Amino acid sequence: MDDWFAAQVERHGPDIHAYLSRRTADGVADDLLGDVWVAAYGGRSGFDPNLGTPRAWLFGVARHVLHGHYRKHRLRSTMARVIGIDRPADETAAIDSRLDAAALAPQLRAGLRSLPTAERDLLLLVAWENLSPTEAAQVLGIPAGTARSRLHRARQRMDERLSGSAQVVDETTRQEADR
């Protein structure tokens, strides 16, 4: 079991660290990652491969550690503030991407805050952490069908919230190009 656990740490460590980094202030993710490994190592005998993947199980452990951190330090409000931006290889595209993201960031934050916590957590696990809806369901301790329907509702709400914002950004971009 120890070799199995070491393999999971090696394989999923960067993803777990990224998950924690996006949800905490600078430097905190490193400490929390250590807490995740301690908790996961202590609970490794409770992992059941019939209930899901090791990756989803580790994200569940990370989520519990993160929630414990926020409860302890009363920092729940910072979870929705940190938004990562993918950087394209082309620097011009990267600049455009950052400008577009900056223009939409307030609406995205507001949209995320307006979602019920269960839908927001699910959407972030699928969108940011690249978990499948089934893996995210395992992390959240809900049935896969429930996860799929919540994810559908969350995506619809975010689409409705951002559709007008995207049109404003497109129109602004067109006006700047005409200059």
Side-chain angles (χ1 to χ4, degrees):
M1 189 68 147
D2 289 338
D3 289 338
W4 174 85
F5 185 78
Q8 301 313 309
V9 169
E10 178 92 15
R11 183 172 183 197
H12 303 296
D15 292 338
I16 300 297
H17 187 267
Y19 170 79
L20 296 169
S21 294
R22 284 190 286 273
R23 288 161 174 77
T24 59
D26 292 337
V28 176
D30 295 337
D31 295 333
L32 291 178
L33 184 62
D35 294 342
V36 168
W37 298 136
V38 169
Y41 187 80
R44 70 192 183 284
S45 63
F47 170 71
D48 184 353
N50 295 320
L51 297 177
T53 66
R55 184 171 188 260
W57 174 71
L58 288 171
F59 270 101
V61 173
R63 181 175 180 264
H64 288 292
V65 167
L66 187 63
H67 280 273
H69 168 76
Y70 283 121
R71 274 191 305 274
K72 182 178 177 186
H73 293 98
R74 294 194 166 103
L75 295 176
R76 286 191 184 272
S77 64
T78 61
M79 286 181 70
R81 278 191 233 149
V82 182
I83 297 177
I85 302 171
D86 292 335
R87 297 183 182 199
D90 175 26
E91 191 56 33
T92 302
I95 292 168
D96 289 344
S97 176
R98 285 192 294 268
L99 290 172
D100 288 346
L104 289 175
Q107 292 87 351
L108 181 58
R109 285 186 193 105
L112 287 171
R113 277 193 304 270
S114 72
L115 290 176
T117 302
E119 289 179 15
R120 181 178 52 242
D121 288 349
L122 180 65
L123 181 63
L124 294 177
L125 285 169
V126 172
W128 282 354
E129 307 313 329
N130 294 317
L131 291 177
S132 70
T134 301
E135 289 174 326
Q138 181 188 355
V139 170
L140 298 171
I142 60 175
T146 301
R148 285 189 292 277
S149 62
R150 283 184 188 169
L151 182 60
H152 178 74
R153 280 194 307 272
R155 286 176 172 160
Q156 278 185 320
R157 289 178 184 170
M158 290 302 292
D159 283 347
E160 290 167 5
R161 180 81 183 209
L162 296 176
S163 64
S165 301
Q167 290 169 356
V168 169
V169 169
D170 288 344
E171 183 61 32
T172 303
T173 303
R174 265 189 245 118
Q175 289 172 356
E176 290 173 0
D178 291 340
R179 286 185 206 167

